[in-house]
Amino acid sequence: MWSSQRLLFVSLLIIMKHASLQAALGFQSNLTDLFGPHLSPKAQIIPPTTPEYPAQLQQRWTDYNAPSYSLGAIKPATEQDVQNIVKIAAANHVPFFTTGGGHGVSDYRSFDGLSIDLSAFNSLVFSEDGSQITIGGSVKIHQLVKPLYEAGKELPLGSCACVGVVGATLSGGIGGLQGHRGLLMDSLESVRVATAAGNLLIASPSENEDLFWALRGAGSNFGIVTSATYRLPEISNGGMYMNADFLFSATVNSSFWQALKSFDHGMPSRLAITAAVLYNRLAGEPMFAVNAIFYGPQEEGERYVQPWKLLGPTKSNISMVPADNIMDVTFFNSFGQDNGACTPNQHINIYTMALKQIHTPTFQSFFAELVNFWEANPGFQGRWLMQRYANDGPLREEPSATAYGNRDAKLFM
């Protein structure tokens, strides 16, 4: 029964948390002796004394509150490797931390131990009829974009190309296509997962159903996902999406929030809006930016971005973009600005929330406070990012269908 596996995993977490790290550090010198005999020939053991360590590992997007790996790292090459690493680490009270895409931002500064780096699990395999795709646990969004486009398929992926697909899925998987296609986890058919006991299970609607329920939304704390299989719908609008970008001066403050609020009760399912407030240090003033993607024809999409056009943007661009290029133009990159979303080891902290409505006076008040903070702290480069996605797709699933709790959210910040 999975219930016993879950209890074992919780117990293992407690053991690892309270085990003496000083004792575990004794494995630094014989990391190869301890794990090597039980790994496949292509698995890599990287002691912490290796030159330039830990640059050989998948780098985390932000170094803020990042975990430490003073015990070294292992890059497994097979699922059996993963199972054996987990079993040996548990038996020897060696704390371990698994990395897939590396785009995590959670606070793991208290962790110090062994890194299990899934970089080798980067395969993409379409089913014979093209209705499904199975990917490895470290595959990133950018690796899927072109193959899906060429196959005439799509998934409700996020807006940042370097995010790990499986990691995003386990947290729910919000994205611009969610109004039309549902959350990324709603496309998930099954996963292969190594549990805390080192057992390899398949979790799906018909196997280990409670584990499958928990994995979809409650995150990665239930095991190490080595691969995931997704069902694939046909690509929208023949693979051509409308992309629209707008820049505004700070004078639109009140009108900007009213325009954003206008979508509270009428968000088209195929429309995705990303809004940002940032401070232009060269000009010495704040600015507003909007990126809108409509997964359909331009003549229809332009009607939906009319509220932004009426605000009188200082700069704008509306064009049709092939689906395999959408990552290159979205998120304001069409203005030639690198948004930094995929630069590793930045010193960034992120605080997020999900909202069901926009209260214009509150947003105006916070904007004023943020401007004051920018002006009082010249070195501060923070941004206020908002993602307004339709929730028609997420709401097609019952709230109890998965462990995810924000299906009715309208705005993510």
Side-chain angles (χ1 to χ4, degrees), residues 72-365:
I74 302 177
K75 291 185 175 182
T78 67
E79 290 179 324
Q80 188 64 61
D81 287 342
V82 175
Q83 292 178 259
N84 291 343
I85 293 168
V86 170
K87 290 177 181 177
I88 295 169
N92 290 276
H93 304 302
V94 177
F96 60 85
F97 190 97
T98 306
T99 300
H103 208 79
V105 296
S106 300
D107 184 353
Y108 291 117
R109 59 186 159 176
S110 62
F111 176 86
D112 190 6
L114 176 71
S115 168
I116 301 177
D117 189 318
L118 295 182
S119 294
F121 290 76
N122 59 358
S123 60
L124 307 174
V125 180
F126 285 91
S127 62
E128 288 188 9
D129 63 0
S131 65
Q132 295 182 338
I133 189 171
T134 299
I135 66 172
S138 68
V139 168
K140 298 181 182 180
I141 288 176
H142 71 84
Q143 296 172 261
L144 276 179
V145 173
K146 189 173 182 64
L148 288 176
Y149 175 73
E150 292 177 344
K153 304 291 184 179
E154 68 186 4
L155 277 173
L157 301 169
S159 56
C160 182
C162 53
V163 171
V165 179
V166 170
T169 303
L170 300 183
S171 298
I174 66 170
L177 261 172
Q178 69 175 48
H180 187 45
R181 298 300 188 191
L183 298 165
L184 184 54
M185 68 177 181
D186 295 333
S187 297
L188 191 64
E189 293 280 275
S190 65
V191 297
R192 293 172 66 86
V193 56
T195 70
N199 298 322
L200 187 67
L201 301 179
I202 295 175
S204 72
S206 59
E207 296 181 77
N208 299 297
E209 299 93 332
D210 50 352
L211 173 58
F212 191 58
W213 177 89
L215 284 168
R216 291 174 297 156
S220 56
N221 290 326
F222 296 92
I224 301 173
V225 175
T226 58
S227 68
T229 299
Y230 301 82
R231 64 178 175 274
L232 299 175
E234 297 298 315
I235 199 165
S236 297
N237 198 46
M240 294 297 294
Y241 305 153
M242 188 198 83
N243 180 79
D245 294 296
F246 304 95
L247 288 179
F248 304 93
S249 68
T251 58
V252 302
N253 182 9
S254 176
S255 299
F256 185 88
W257 304 121
Q258 291 171 5
L260 192 59
K261 182 177 176 58
S262 70
F263 293 96
D264 271 4
H265 304 291
M267 183 75 175
S269 64
R270 290 185 292 167
L271 180 66
I273 297 172
T274 299
V277 183
L278 54 157
Y279 199 89
N280 186 334
R281 291 292 175 187
L282 294 177
E285 61 183 12
M287 59 189 294
F288 293 87
V290 169
N291 170 260
I293 299 175
F294 182 67
Y295 300 92
Q298 183 169 339
E299 56 269 23
E300 183 179 355
E302 288 216 40
R303 298 201 304 269
Y304 299 135
V305 298
Q306 190 67 11
W308 307 116
K309 295 165 71 174
L310 292 175
L311 288 184
T314 59
K315 192 172 185 179
S316 65
N317 174 68
I318 300 177
S319 60
M320 293 299 292
V321 180
D324 63 336
N325 289 337
I326 197 66
M327 291 290 174
D328 297 327
V329 298
T330 191
F331 244 96
F332 322 116
N333 279 343
S334 61
F335 290 131
Q337 300 175 9
D338 181 4
N339 58 53
C342 288
T343 304
N345 292 319
Q346 298 181 80
H347 194 64
I348 297 175
N349 62 335
I350 291 183
Y351 301 94
T352 61
M353 64 181 68
L355 303 180
K356 296 182 181 179
Q357 65 174 340
I358 292 174
H359 185 248
T360 303
T362 300
F363 278 63
Q364 287 182 249
S365 175

Side-chain angles (χ1 to χ4, degrees), residues 367-390:
F367 171 71
E369 292 183 20
L370 187 57
V371 171
N372 290 336
F373 190 83
W374 269 318
E375 293 177 345
N377 298 273
F380 176 63
Q381 297 294 333
R383 305 170 186 173
W384 181 8
L385 184 69
M386 292 146 279
Q387 293 172 309
R388 177 62 176 96
Y389 299 147

